[in-house]
Amino acid sequence: MGPTKIAEGIYNVGVIDWNIRDFHGYSTWSGTTYNAYLIMDEKITLIDTVKREFVDELLNNISQIVDPKKIDYVISNHTEMDHSGGLPRVMHKIGEGKPVYCSKMGNKNLADHFRQGLNYQPVENGGELKIGKRTLTFLETRMLHWPDSMFTYVNGDKILFSSDAFGQHYAGYENFDDEIDDHDIMHHARKYFANILLLYSPLIVKLVEKVTEMGLQIEMICPDHGIIWRKDPSKIINAYVEWSKQVPKRKAIVIYDTMWRSTETMAKAIADTLALEGVDAKPMHLRRCHKSDIITEVLDTAAIIIGSPTLNNHIFPSIGSFLTYMEGLKPAKKIAAAFGSYGWSGEAVKTINSHFETMGFDIVDPGLRVKYVPDKTGIEACQEFAKKIAHAIPA
Ligand code: FEO
């Protein structure tokens, strides 16, 4: 769509990926963007590139501001391929001997990805680079999102280029947070946090403390995905701190799959009863709700209740896949319980409980199994099960 001026002499030259719907397993139903930023100073500087298949569009955007061959410096804030996949072609275009500034881990990781000798210049945490009237400061932000990740702060303009952090998988013609519905964009930011950064929550709290100690004044946050925060950058920073703390609400999600609707009948009876007990409850069928949308709900949920039929002496495959995904993201401060219909062996509840134990969840009921089809007695058992969970959720 062409470059966007974000401040005097600073442009977003990135691209919009309108139709991506699956970002390595994350459902990007709104598409995404790969933002890259051009700073026109005595040393013309490009911050990050884009996915390899979008390089022509990136170069075309840059060309509308300046001949790409005139770029002096490239900053790589993050090695993952959605931001550095285009780097070799960009360097080929602008001159392979030009410096690529990156973190020390970025130096290693870029070399491991491209196996070619670009002029990587590792920078220190807190290191500075003068590019003319502006000075850039680099901040290591290990594991946000990879070990190589760093932020680049532009003194004077008070702009933080934050790579993945504070991003959203959202594609649109809007560029800034004041051009878009607040509730919508915060939902995208929250989903991004829950699915990309949740397991690094303790590091996020420390990072925000570090940035506060450094006294960095931030007037604009420019992530590598989605819109730019300029209306009130502290809003997204505060949201990250709140999400990192994972303070549970009086909320429960009943995550299930079903073969002949028996486990579904149980799920609905459990959710209905939780709601009657004053819990914000939601049944979510695993083959109808995407796992990345379910994890977004997990973020502030007190109770995770999982139901699976027993299939071939095991849990249903979709349940296994979801549990694997959730275990990797390490949600904290959850109570949990398992349920499910079975025919003759009924191992599913026990297997789910073993996953809950691995995740350190507080199991508040040994689990509820109903043989074949829940009758009146089975439904009453679901209601008692739900009441027990509701009473275990802090008010
Ligand atoms: Fe947007 Fe970790 O890459």
Side-chain angles (χ1 to χ4, degrees), residues 118-172:
L118 294 175
N119 181 15
Y120 300 123
Q121 295 290 323
V123 297
E124 296 289 333
N125 180 34
E128 294 187 341
L129 177 68
K130 194 158 177 54
I131 62 170
K133 68 179 184 194
R134 297 176 180 86
T135 298
L136 309 183
T137 304
F138 303 108
L139 298 174
E140 270 187 7
T141 57
R142 283 186 177 223
M143 302 318 300
L144 302 175
H145 166 228
W146 277 13
D148 49 74
S149 295
M150 67 176 193
F151 290 172
T152 298
Y153 177 73
V154 185
N155 303 29
D157 297 286
K158 299 176 183 167
I159 297 177
L160 184 70
F161 293 96
S162 62
S163 184
D164 276 339
F166 312 119
Q168 334 90 48
H169 283 310
Y170 174 77

Side-chain angles (χ1 to χ4, degrees), residues 10-123:
I10 305 181
Y11 301 85
N12 181 359
V13 289
V15 303
I16 302 175
D17 192 350
W18 290 103
N19 291 305
I20 186 169
R21 290 293 178 269
D22 183 327
F23 192 100
H24 56 49
Y26 178 134
S27 91
T28 44
W29 49 267
S30 239
T32 194
T33 68
Y34 313 112
N35 301 338
Y37 299 97
L38 187 71
I39 305 177
M40 298 298 296
D41 208 316
E42 286 169 31
K43 297 294 184 186
I44 298 172
T45 302
L46 176 68
I47 300 181
D48 290 323
T49 69
V50 295
K51 262 187 176 176
R52 187 170 49 186
E53 58 264 41
F54 291 94
V55 169
D56 288 337
E57 203 175 325
L58 169 70
L59 291 170
N60 184 50
N61 288 345
I62 295 169
S63 299
Q64 293 179 51
I65 310 293
V66 69
D67 180 349
K69 292 191 178 73
K70 292 190 173 166
I71 291 173
D72 298 288
Y73 299 154
V74 174
I75 313 290
S76 173
N77 275 336
H78 180 23
T79 304
E80 195 166 6
M81 292 286 96
D82 45 336
H83 311 296
S84 73
L87 185 64
R89 277 196 58 206
V90 166
M91 297 314 294
H92 184 70
K93 177 81 174 177
I94 73 174
E96 286 176 348
K98 289 181 177 172
V100 177
Y101 295 93
C102 54
S103 67
K104 289 178 194 162
M105 284 303 295
N107 183 14
K108 289 186 181 138
N109 289 353
L110 288 166
D112 282 344
H113 274 77
F114 299 123
R115 317 280 178 198
Q116 72 186 83
L118 294 175
N119 181 15
Y120 300 123
Q121 295 290 323
V123 297

Side-chain angles (χ1 to χ4, degrees), residues 262 264-270 273 368 370 373-386:
S262 290
E264 181 162 65
T265 300
M266 295 176 74
K268 289 183 177 167
I270 291 164
T273 307
L368 175 63
V370 168
V373 179
D375 58 5
K376 183 170 176 290
T377 306
I379 295 297
E380 285 169 358
C382 290
Q383 290 164 342
E384 289 309 309
F385 176 76

Side-chain angles (χ1 to χ4, degrees), residues 105-334:
M105 284 303 295
N107 183 14
K108 289 186 181 138
N109 289 353
L110 288 166
D112 282 344
H113 274 77
F114 299 123
R115 317 280 178 198
Q116 72 186 83
L118 294 175
N119 181 15
Y120 300 123
Q121 295 290 323
V123 297
E124 296 289 333
N125 180 34
E128 294 187 341
L129 177 68
K130 194 158 177 54
I131 62 170
K133 68 179 184 194
R134 297 176 180 86
T135 298
L136 309 183
T137 304
F138 303 108
L139 298 174
E140 270 187 7
T141 57
R142 283 186 177 223
M143 302 318 300
L144 302 175
H145 166 228
W146 277 13
D148 49 74
S149 295
M150 67 176 193
F151 290 172
T152 298
Y153 177 73
V154 185
N155 303 29
D157 297 286
K158 299 176 183 167
I159 297 177
L160 184 70
F161 293 96
S162 62
S163 184
D164 276 339
F166 312 119
Q168 334 90 48
H169 283 310
Y170 174 77
Y173 288 113
E174 306 90 345
N175 292 291
F176 300 99
D177 54 346
D178 48 37
E179 298 171 345
I180 190 165
D181 180 88
D182 201 50
H183 182 265
D184 281 356
I185 205 60
M186 288 306 286
H187 176 79
H188 285 291
R190 173 192 173 82
K191 178 174 176 177
Y192 186 95
F193 179 93
N195 285 276
I196 308 279
L197 298 172
L198 180 60
L199 75 162
Y200 305 120
S201 290
L203 298 178
I204 289 168
V205 174
K206 282 188 188 150
L207 175 68
V208 172
E209 285 169 0
K210 187 169 87 177
V211 170
T212 306
E213 274 168 27
M214 290 174 75
L216 288 189
Q217 293 182 321
I218 299 171
E219 291 190 352
M220 193 182 294
I221 297 176
C222 299
D224 276 358
H225 299 288
I227 59 94
I228 291 167
W229 306 96
R230 72 175 176 187
K231 183 172 65 178
D232 178 13
S234 65
K235 179 170 181 170
I236 188 66
I237 294 173
N238 292 339
Y240 263 49
V241 172
E242 185 197 323
W243 295 334
S244 296
K245 289 179 182 165
Q246 298 186 60
V247 178
K249 292 186 177 156
R250 189 163 169 76
K251 177 174 168 183
I253 47 174
V254 184
I255 303 157
Y256 69 96
D257 206 331
T258 194
M259 291 169 70
W260 296 105
R261 298 239 161 126
S262 290
T263 302
E264 181 162 65
T265 300
M266 295 176 74
K268 289 183 177 167
I270 291 164
D272 288 353
T273 307
L274 285 163
L276 288 172
E277 294 290 320
V279 176
D280 176 8
K282 189 178 285 187
M284 301 187 87
H285 186 310
L286 256 176
R287 280 180 289 152
R288 299 194 190 121
C289 304
H290 196 276
K291 65 179 185 293
S292 54
D293 291 317
I294 298 175
I295 287 294
T296 311
E297 297 292 338
V298 164
L299 186 60
D300 63 357
T301 291
I304 308 291
I305 305 160
I306 297 188
S308 173
T310 295
L311 175 69
N312 301 330
N313 308 111
H314 217 304
I315 49 178
F316 212 65
S318 58
I319 300 285
S321 169
F322 178 76
L323 285 165
T324 301
Y325 187 58
M326 183 161 68
E327 274 178 25
L329 288 166
K330 294 186 168 52
K333 303 177 185 170
K334 307 298 178 195

Side-chain angles (χ1 to χ4, degrees), residues 340-361:
S341 155
Y342 72 105
W344 50 96
S345 56
E347 291 88 345
V349 162
K350 190 175 165 196
T351 306
I352 294 168
N353 277 341
S354 73
H355 284 272
F356 286 157
E357 283 167 11
T358 301
M359 288 184 274
F361 290 0

